């Protein structure tokens, strides 16, 4: 995964909503609020014709001696009669039977008019917001003003974690064109930031580094220590602000395939991007280049995730469903690259993260001494052969012995040509796989190692040695 921003202009983001969007799983299907508040009445039915003779049209002028009879149902009273809404005068004789259809029409008309007036008044009062205590109409179906997401939802986890994630900008010394964008997260309250080595490598010698928080505040930073082999680096903010909230660290040994994951980073420079997925596999041996072309690789027994990870996500946290860091996003498999590493191609759902248990050990060592410490077996293995284990080479680099005299492998009886097939409880199929497994341990650990020689399999105990610093 390349940390270089491709230089594409990023369009201005729209104004962020006051609250994060409701995730689809927690929302209800949209509906029309007005329809929910006032179901559309059925159109009034035409009153059936009365059984008797047809009603005569209303006269234009009252007769000399008008009979005392109530007005026809469903029609307004004649001029001079009671006003709309006033009670009808009591009739002297027995009431006449009315057509039910006319009464229903009048009631529906009144309801429609009253509803329209009430709704209009309610809207006007809400718009005026004059603090009046009079009753207003409230439309049903509106989202409550105090809507809160339950703890454990993706939105809740992301909202809590984002303020502790930073976008890192690295610029090489003397050349503004070299550098890139990556991600990191707050490691402690003293202002240490944990990220990948390949994110900051271009600026480690005389360059400049800055870290920008999700609130837009930007701080200069410096490298405290970096481990090229582990692909881990620690920065420290200059003039770190008070109140930093370190992200909680989980236990990557207890992660299970299928667990939910949340990745936060700045893919292609798009800061504060959140993606989700699951743990697709564990203990995946990964050798990734630093993009320099110098052949300096990093090795990890990685957590594999299908959460979308792209260039710029490097160094960002991989969270579990509780919001605890379980890994540092570091590399992707890309269809365009043909291999594992920091390629400029995009995600195809194969991302790899350094387990946080290993990253924490490395970070603590870097903060303490500024230099990484690696566990070693004291033997040079072939790094190109695959499938049948890790074969110890005939000789080491620059003509040195392949098995270091008096080293861990020599003390265990290993010789050049031996093929290491198992390390602890992990099967070994290549040199990179062996190194990635060795580096999950600490110097001094005792590990059972199985090797083949002349068709015979032998298991021995190896006490791991140590190497301080990165080899050139």
């Amino acid at each position: 995964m390349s940390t270089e921003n491709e230089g594409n202009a990023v369009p201005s983001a729209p104004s962020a909503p006051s609250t994060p969007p409701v995730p689809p799983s927690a929302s209800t299907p949209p509906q029309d609020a007005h329809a929910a508040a006032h179901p559309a009445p059925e159109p009034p039915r035409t009153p059936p014709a009365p059984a008797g003779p047809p009603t005569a049209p209303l006269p234009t002028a009252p007769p000399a001696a008008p009979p005392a009879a109530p007005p026809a149902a469903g029609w307004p009273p004649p001029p001079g009669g009671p006003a709309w809404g006033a009670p009808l005068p009591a009739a002297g004789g027995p009431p006449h039977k009315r057509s039910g259809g006319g009464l229903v029409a009048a009631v529906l008309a009144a309801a429609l008019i009253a509803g329209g007036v009430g709704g209009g008044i309610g809207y006007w009062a809400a718009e005026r917001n004059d603090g009046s205590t009079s009753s207003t109409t409230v439309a049903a179906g509106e989202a409550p003003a105090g809507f809160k997401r339950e703890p454990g939802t993706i939105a809740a986890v992301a909202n809590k974690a984002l303020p502790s994630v930073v976008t890192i900008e690295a610029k090489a010394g003397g050349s503004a064109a070299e550098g890139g964008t990556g991600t990191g997260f707050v490691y402690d309250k003293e202002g240490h930031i944990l990220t990948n080595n390949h994110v900051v490598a271009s600026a480690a010698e005389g360059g400049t580094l800055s870290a920008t928080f999700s609130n837009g505040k930007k701080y200069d930073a410096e490298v405290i220590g970096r481990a090229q082999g582990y692909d881990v680096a620690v920065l420290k903010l200059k003039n770190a602000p008070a109140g930093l909230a370190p992200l909680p660290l989980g236990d990557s040994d207890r992660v299970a395939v299928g667990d939910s994951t949340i990745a936060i980073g700045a893919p292609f420079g798009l800061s504060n991007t959140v993606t989700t997925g699951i743990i697709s596999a564990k203990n995946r041996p990964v050798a990734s280049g630093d993009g320099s072309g110098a052949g300096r690789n990093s090795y990890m027994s990685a957590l594999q995730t299908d959460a979308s990870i792209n260039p710029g996500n490097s160094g960002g946290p991989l969270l579990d469903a509780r919001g605890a860091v379980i890994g540092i996003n570091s590399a992707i498999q890309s269809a365009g690259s043909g291999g594992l590493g920091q390629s400029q191609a995009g995600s195809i759902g194969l991302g790899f993260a350094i387990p946080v248990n290993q990253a924490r050990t490395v970070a603590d060592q870097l903060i303490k001494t500024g230099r990484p410490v690696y566990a070693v077996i004291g033997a040079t293995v072939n790094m190109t052969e695959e499938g049948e284990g890790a074969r110890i080479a005939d000789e080491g680099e620059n003509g040195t012995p392949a098995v270091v005299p008096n080293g861990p492998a020599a003390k265990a009886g290993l010789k050049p040509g031996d093929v290491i097939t198992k390390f602890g409880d992990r099967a070994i199929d290549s040199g990179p796989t062996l190194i990635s497994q060795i580096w999950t341990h600490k110097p001094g650990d005792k590990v059972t190692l199985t090797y083949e020689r002349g068709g015979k399999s032998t298991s021995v105990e190896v006490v791991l040695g140590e190497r301080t610093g990165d080899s050139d």
Side-chain angles (χ1 to χ4, degrees):
M1 175 191 320
S2 174
T3 61
E4 295 184 3
N5 191 352
E6 291 193 331
N8 297 331
V10 179
S12 301
S15 300
S18 58
T19 57
V22 180
S25 60
S27 62
T28 55
Q31 59 180 337
D32 185 85
H34 181 77
H38 305 288
E42 296 182 2
R45 300 176 180 177
T46 304
T55 305
L58 294 175
T60 56
W75 295 94
W84 175 264
L88 294 175
H96 294 279
K97 292 183 179 180
R98 306 290 181 119
S99 169
L103 180 58
V104 171
V107 172
L108 289 176
L112 288 173
I113 294 174
V117 172
I121 292 175
Y123 178 81
W124 178 87
E127 289 293 299
R128 296 281 294 179
N129 193 24
D130 59 0
S132 172
T133 58
S134 61
S135 175
T136 60
T137 299
V138 178
E142 294 179 355
F147 179 80
K148 294 183 180 179
R149 289 165 179 81
E150 294 297 326
T153 63
I154 294 172
V157 170
N159 185 59
K160 186 175 181 179
L162 277 168
S164 299
V165 179
V166 298
T167 299
I168 297 172
E169 294 181 12
K171 293 183 179 180
S175 176
E178 295 183 12
T181 301
T183 308
F185 61 91
V186 177
Y187 186 69
D188 58 28
K189 294 184 178 180
E190 284 69 44
H192 289 109
I193 303 295
L194 195 56
T195 186
N196 283 146
N197 171 67
H198 76 259
V199 169
V200 303
S202 63
E205 303 294 337
T208 60
L209 289 165
S210 65
T212 303
F213 284 81
S214 60
N215 60 7
K217 293 184 178 180
K218 188 174 183 178
Y219 299 87
D220 292 334
E222 60 183 345
V223 176
I224 296 298
R226 58 194 186 100
Q228 178 267 321
Y230 294 122
D231 198 16
V232 172
V234 177
L235 312 181
K236 188 170 185 181
L237 301 177
K238 299 178 180 179
N239 302 316
L244 289 174
L247 287 181
L249 303 182
D251 184 352
S252 51
D253 290 340
R254 300 181 63 183
V255 170
V257 173
D259 282 350
S260 297
T261 58
I262 302 171
I264 303 179
F268 296 101
L270 299 174
S271 301
N272 310 315
T273 295
V274 177
T275 55
T276 63
I278 61 169
I279 292 293
S280 304
K282 295 179 60 177
N283 303 306
R284 187 72 79 190
V286 173
S288 62
D290 62 2
S292 66
R296 295 191 295 269
N297 289 335
S298 300
Y299 300 93
M300 69 186 91
S301 181
L303 297 176
Q304 180 181 327
T305 180
D306 67 346
S308 182
I309 297 174
N310 288 286
N313 275 105
S314 291
L318 184 69
L319 308 175
D320 62 16
R322 304 168 303 160
V325 180
I326 54 175
I328 302 176
N329 300 317
S330 181
I332 61 173
Q333 170 74 52
S334 172
S337 68
L340 298 166
Q342 292 84 36
S343 152
Q344 274 291 321
S347 171
I348 59 172
L350 295 174
F352 303 95
I354 303 165
V356 74
N357 289 6
Q358 180 182 14
R360 174 168 39 199
T361 300
V362 177
D364 290 344
Q365 186 68 40
L366 293 176
I367 292 172
K368 182 179 179 180
T369 67
R371 304 185 70 191
V373 175
Y374 299 90
V376 297
I377 63 170
T380 300
V381 297
N382 188 294
M383 300 298 286
T384 59
E385 296 177 358
E386 295 183 5
E388 296 182 359
R391 186 177 65 85
I392 298 178
D394 294 330
E395 65 178 18
E397 294 182 1
N398 302 319
T400 59
V403 179
V404 177
N406 205 36
K411 290 180 179 179
L414 275 74
K415 298 179 180 180
D418 290 345
V419 178
I420 299 172
T421 58
K422 197 171 183 180
F423 189 82
D425 59 352
R426 305 294 180 191
I428 303 299
D429 61 359
S430 66
T433 300
L434 175 62
I435 294 176
S436 68
Q437 287 300 321
I438 293 173
W439 285 356
T440 64
H441 293 270
K442 299 177 183 179
D445 286 353
K446 295 181 179 179
V447 183
T448 299
L449 181 151
T450 301
Y451 67 94
E452 291 184 358
R453 181 190 299 167
K456 181 181 178 180
S457 180
T458 304
S459 294
V460 294
E461 188 176 77
V462 175
V463 179
L464 300 179
E466 71 174 56
R467 186 192 84 206
T468 300
D470 285 306
S471 60
D472 296 329

